Amino acid sequence: MKFVILALWLLPGIIQAQPSGSTTVTTDVCVYGGTSSGVIAAYTASKMGKRVILVEPSHRLGGLSSGGLGFTDIGNKYVVTGLARDFYRRIGTHYGKLEQWTFEPRVADSLFNDYAKRGAFKTLYGKRLTRVNKNQNLIVSIELENSAGDTTKKEIIKAKQYIDCTYEGDLMAKAGVSYTIGREANSTYNETVNGVQLKNEHQFPDGVDPYKIPGKPESGLLWGISAATLAETGSGDKKVQAYNFRICLSNDPGNRIAITRPANYDSTRYELLLRYLAVKTSDNLGGFLKMDLMPNHKTDINNNGPFSTDMIGMNYNYPDGDYLTRSVIIQKHEDYTKGLLYFIGHDARMPGQLRKQMLEWGYPKDEYLDNNHWTPQLYVREARRMIGAYVMTQANCQGREVVTDEIGKAAYTMDSHNAERIVVNGMVKNEGDVQLREGVNPYPIAYRSITPKSSQCGNLLVPVCLSASHMAYGSIRMEPVFMVLGQSAAVAACLAIKQKSSVQQINIKQLQAELKNNPLADGSTPDILVDNDDVTGVIKEGDWKQISNGGYGPSYLVNTVSASAWVQFIPTIRKGGRYRVYVYCPKLQKASTITSVELFNGIKSVNTIINVKDMGVTGQTSGEWLWIGDSSFVPGKNASVKISNTGANGVVVADAVLLIPAK
């Protein structure tokens, strides 16, 4: 009998049939939302020995990372750690590289399913939240229904800890946790780029008429233009930055399906595109579609310019909308986007060269086989945002306020897409786009920003709809960071169970140590990284200039003079063994075509030459890791990697060194 009880305990959940027709499942950790963050959270908690249930309202894992966003928004690879970095390395393995940041949706989909398989946690597909039951400030259980709307049978999940990994924050909201929607006024958090912003990027040029009959306001506004007036700059509102689909198309004749006239097609929706092109001509699709190429002749198409794939102003009711409201909004976005693609290729008013280019592309036969080759994932850039124990703001993004309870880093531009399209001085203008790069280097994200206020909920973590202002969220809201925060939330949930405490009361230093020392959640030996900003692991000789932005980590070093100069990176080897050794090489103009490197394993040295021709940078990354050799190392600080300007014929870079345990 003892062995039977143990076997039941090791199952993902103990299932009990209820007389009402509902089923109750008891588990340790319940993750709601199978986004990239949710899969990583569930995998982490399971690897830490907890019974885990992942609930995904759809029938697909990975969210946007398997739903078309193959051109990864990174900011700086330095912030991609733990299982997030593992994911992109597995992507790299698929394509024959150390790591890769551009990929096909089907490859990501396969990897997320592999995490679920290896994690051995239970996944409930096609189930959505209807109710959260609480006792004081603790969630006791959640109730689910079939996502198809069948309410005859309910599932009840009782867990010790809950993690909301949805893009919408549904579990958080139903748990009674405070949240906000839209844009705060600049005055709320002493910011400069929040609220209403009329700027120049992704903006209509002057002279684009907004009226159905040009010059005649009485004829009414063209589709997609709001009659609202421009509010005061920096004022807050509930408007939400635009959503779109990240579109995977193929130009491989053997793997493409023609883009045909979609249902609910209405060419009047695209009149503004014609008027824009009449003012600012374009000889290629890149003038209004951001067409990033993925492997195997595919794309990740994103919004670009004033009129593109963003459906501006059509998502205001989405964040707090019920399931029916959201489904209608999603369908309207799909109709708009498919109609736009058809319009570009078939409307006789479009310039001929653009129509010809569009007809070279079609829906990929080998993607989204269960959804007519179209992604089911709308790009919900921002919905609800928790007002938690700590609110991340512009001051954090720009390093003016630095938290100590770090559970991960972010590094992307403070990025908001447009929130409304209006008439200003008789011309159509977009409002809400902000892309502030100034002063944004890798910065820490507070653990308190993923925890609710303790009075509201003590056993819930929110790594996706975390506590941040609109503009800070615009920097944090990237898929690799969501994975990092999902892993951090899972470790925190497991610690809360172990320590029998609320999530607000766990030992932060234990959490940070676990994330650092067990980054893959499987007990394997961690990578060893030495960055040039690590003052205890770097020795410099000669003339080196420190450059911010564009490298790996907060900065990198460059040498431009001929006098002898070198930088020695000294790794701390905690566990002896064989390692693969890499040097990070940012892509720079006037870079030396060769760089001299000496690898010393503590016993002998090996000299090698890095050739810039070996570096193929793809995606949004600043550079690549270049392999310089494998070697066996003993514990201690006797080994080193020395980069010098010997034989250089241009700018020499010293940025970071990486040792990866050899398999």
Side-chain angles (χ1 to χ4, degrees):
M1 178 62 71
K2 185 181 298 183
F3 296 107
V4 172
I5 294 172
L6 177 61
L8 286 172
W9 175 253
L10 292 174
L11 288 173
I14 299 174
I15 302 175
Q16 300 172 317
Q18 302 297 308
S20 62
S22 63
T23 301
T24 298
V25 183
T26 302
T27 191
D28 293 322
V29 178
C30 174
V31 179
Y32 186 65
T35 59
S36 60
S37 181
V39 174
I40 295 301
Y43 176 86
T44 302
S46 182
K47 283 295 183 180
M48 294 186 70
K50 298 296 182 274
R51 299 171 301 159
V52 180
I53 292 177
L54 172 63
V55 181
E56 169 47 39
S58 75
H59 295 274
R60 185 181 182 87
L61 295 179
L64 203 59
S65 286
S66 65
L69 203 165
F71 191 71
T72 309
D73 299 305
I74 307 168
N76 191 314
K77 287 196 289 190
Y78 179 72
V79 309
V80 186
T81 56
L83 288 166
R85 184 164 57 201
D86 179 69
F87 172 79
Y88 293 102
R89 286 202 183 151
R90 289 176 184 271
I91 291 284
T93 298
H94 178 86
Y95 292 111
K97 298 177 67 177
L98 171 64
E99 58 193 22
Q100 182 148 318
W101 309 89
T102 60
F103 50 87
E104 302 158 86
R106 63 183 180 86
V107 174
D109 179 64
S110 175
L111 282 179
F112 284 119
N113 280 283
D114 185 60
Y115 278 107
K117 180 179 179 180
R118 290 184 292 111
F121 50 83
K122 181 180 178 64
T123 303
L124 291 179
Y125 291 101
K127 304 292 182 183
R128 66 190 185 190
L129 185 65
T130 59
R131 181 181 174 87
V132 173
N133 300 307
K134 291 177 70 178
N135 180 10
Q136 297 182 351
N137 75 328
L138 295 178
I139 299 174
V140 176
S141 65
I142 64 172
E143 298 180 13
L144 310 171
E145 67 178 10
N146 289 331
S147 297
D150 178 11
T151 59
T152 58
K153 183 180 179 181
K154 291 188 176 182
E155 304 251 5
I156 300 172
I157 298 180
K158 293 183 177 180
K160 298 174 184 176
Q161 293 291 330
Y162 297 83
I163 307 175
D164 185 346
C165 289
T166 62
Y167 293 122
E168 296 83 4
D170 285 344
L171 177 53
M172 168 193 74
K174 286 189 180 296
V177 172
S178 298
Y179 64 88
T180 189
I181 295 170
R183 306 176 287 185
E184 297 93 350
N186 273 329
S187 58
T188 303
Y189 296 116
N190 194 27
E191 297 177 303
T192 63
V193 289
N194 210 332
V196 173
Q197 299 288 333
L198 187 68
K199 294 186 177 292
N200 296 323
E201 295 189 76
H202 301 288
Q203 183 60 274
F204 284 95
D206 288 348
V208 178
D209 194 289
Y211 304 113
K212 291 179 180 178
I213 300 176
K216 294 191 175 184
E218 64 272 17
S219 66
L221 295 168
L222 290 175
W223 182 92
I225 303 176
S226 169
T229 56
L230 179 64
E232 181 183 354
T233 298
S235 60
D237 57 29
K238 296 300 180 183
K239 295 182 173 69
V240 182
Q241 64 172 307
Y243 300 166
N244 71 342
F245 284 98
R246 298 294 286 256
I247 310 166
C248 181
L249 298 180
S250 172
N251 67 352
D252 178 357
N255 191 40
R256 71 182 181 199
I257 301 169
I259 297 171
T260 56
R261 181 186 177 108
N264 304 318
Y265 177 71
D266 182 354
S267 63
T268 65
R269 295 172 181 162
Y270 314 108
E271 178 67 28
L272 271 175
L273 177 58
L274 297 174
R275 294 195 185 179
Y276 168 61
L277 292 174
V279 175
K280 187 174 183 179
T281 59
S282 176
D283 59 2
N284 65 78
L285 298 174
F288 51 91
L289 296 176
K290 189 173 186 293
M291 298 187 69
D292 294 305
L293 299 181
M294 298 298 105
N296 295 317
H297 306 280
K298 293 177 185 174
T299 64
D300 169 4
I301 299 177
N302 195 10
N303 184 83
N304 187 41
F307 191 96
S308 185
T309 60
D310 275 1
M311 200 173 176
I312 299 171
M314 305 296 179
N315 59 347
Y316 298 162
N317 293 328
Y318 185 91
D320 259 343
D322 59 22
Y323 296 124
L324 177 60
T325 298
R326 288 180 183 169
S327 68
V328 170
I329 292 172
I330 292 170
Q331 186 60 54
K332 286 183 176 179
H333 278 72
E334 182 175 336
D335 291 343
Y336 167 78
T337 311
K338 288 182 174 179
L340 174 63
L341 299 177
Y342 178 79
F343 179 88
I344 296 168
H346 294 85
D347 196 288
R349 295 170 294 171
M350 284 292 294
Q353 74 272 21
L354 299 180
R355 280 187 281 132
K356 182 180 178 181
Q357 291 173 31
M358 191 71 245
L359 292 175
E360 295 175 359
W361 296 92
Y363 302 120
K365 292 180 180 179
D366 60 350
E367 296 286 357
Y368 314 121
L369 303 185
D370 57 351
N371 198 51
N372 295 318
H373 311 283
W374 179 261
T375 177
Q377 181 62 61
L378 180 66
Y379 191 174
V380 179
R381 288 190 173 90
E382 184 177 344
R384 300 180 178 107
R385 300 188 311 279
M386 180 170 65
I387 303 175
Y390 181 87
V391 180
M392 300 288 293
T393 69
Q394 182 178 343
N396 296 106
C397 300
Q398 295 181 317
R400 289 180 282 109
E401 186 171 325
V402 180
V403 300
T404 58
D405 56 338
E406 175 187 336
I407 52 166
K409 287 184 170 68
Y412 203 77
T413 300
M414 282 179 279
D415 179 359
S416 173
H417 282 234
N418 282 300
E420 60 179 339
R421 181 175 286 148
I422 54 179
V423 178
V424 180
N425 298 326
M427 298 175 290
V428 61
K429 294 292 179 181
N430 293 333
E431 182 276 307
D433 185 273
V434 177
Q435 296 174 51
L436 185 63
R437 302 169 179 84
E438 182 181 350
V440 181
N441 277 316
Y443 61 90
I445 300 170
Y447 173 65
R448 289 164 293 162
S449 71
I450 71 168
T451 64
K453 296 173 182 176
S454 59
S455 61
Q456 294 180 348
C457 198
N459 62 341
L460 172 68
L461 291 153
V462 187
V464 176
C465 293
L466 74 160
S467 181
S469 72
H470 163 65
M471 284 317 306
Y473 192 81
S475 172
I476 296 169
R477 62 170 181 84
M478 306 303 158
E479 291 289 296
V481 177
F482 284 158
M483 293 188 214
V484 170
L485 297 180
Q487 180 173 0
S488 301
V491 174
C494 294
L495 287 177
I497 292 173
K498 180 180 179 180
Q499 297 171 7
K500 296 181 179 180
S501 71
S502 69
V503 295
Q504 293 86 1
Q505 295 173 324
I506 66 163
N507 188 310
I508 299 298
K509 293 202 177 296
Q510 285 187 26
L511 169 59
Q512 292 170 332
E514 179 68 21
L515 292 170
K516 178 182 178 181
N517 299 326
N518 190 18
L520 300 185
D522 60 0
S524 59
T525 303
D527 295 350
I528 302 171
L529 171 70
V530 186
D531 186 71
N532 68 280
D533 288 283
D534 181 3
V535 294
T536 62
V538 175
I539 300 173
K540 293 181 291 184
E541 180 69 33
D543 188 357
W544 294 92
K545 182 180 180 181
Q546 190 172 28
I547 306 294
S548 298
N549 295 321
Y552 188 89
S555 72
Y556 59 96
L557 302 173
V558 296
N559 169 266
T560 58
V561 298
S562 58
S564 176
W566 50 261
V567 177
Q568 188 176 33
F569 296 83
I570 304 171
T572 299
I573 311 294
R574 291 185 170 83
K575 184 176 181 180
R578 193 162 184 81
Y579 290 80
R580 309 210 79 193
V581 185
Y582 296 82
V583 169
Y584 193 77
C585 296
K587 187 176 182 179
L588 300 177
Q589 291 184 340
K590 299 181 180 179
S592 176
T593 58
I594 59 171
T595 300
S596 298
V597 181
E598 178 189 52
L599 170 60
F600 177 60
N601 70 352
I603 299 174
K604 65 177 182 178
S605 295
V606 176
N607 293 304
T608 188
I609 297 293
I610 292 177
N611 194 320
V612 73
K613 293 180 181 179
D614 296 332
M615 183 172 64
V617 179
T618 58
Q620 293 192 40
T621 174
S622 62
E624 293 290 349
W625 291 108
L626 292 185
W627 176 71
I628 61 169
D630 290 6
S631 189
S632 295
F633 297 84
V634 296
K637 297 187 70 172
N638 299 317
S640 67
V641 175
K642 181 184 287 187
I643 296 174
S644 74
N645 66 350
T646 302
N649 55 13
V651 178
V652 176
V653 179
D655 194 349
V657 167
L658 180 67
L659 280 68
I660 301 176
K663 295 182 180 179

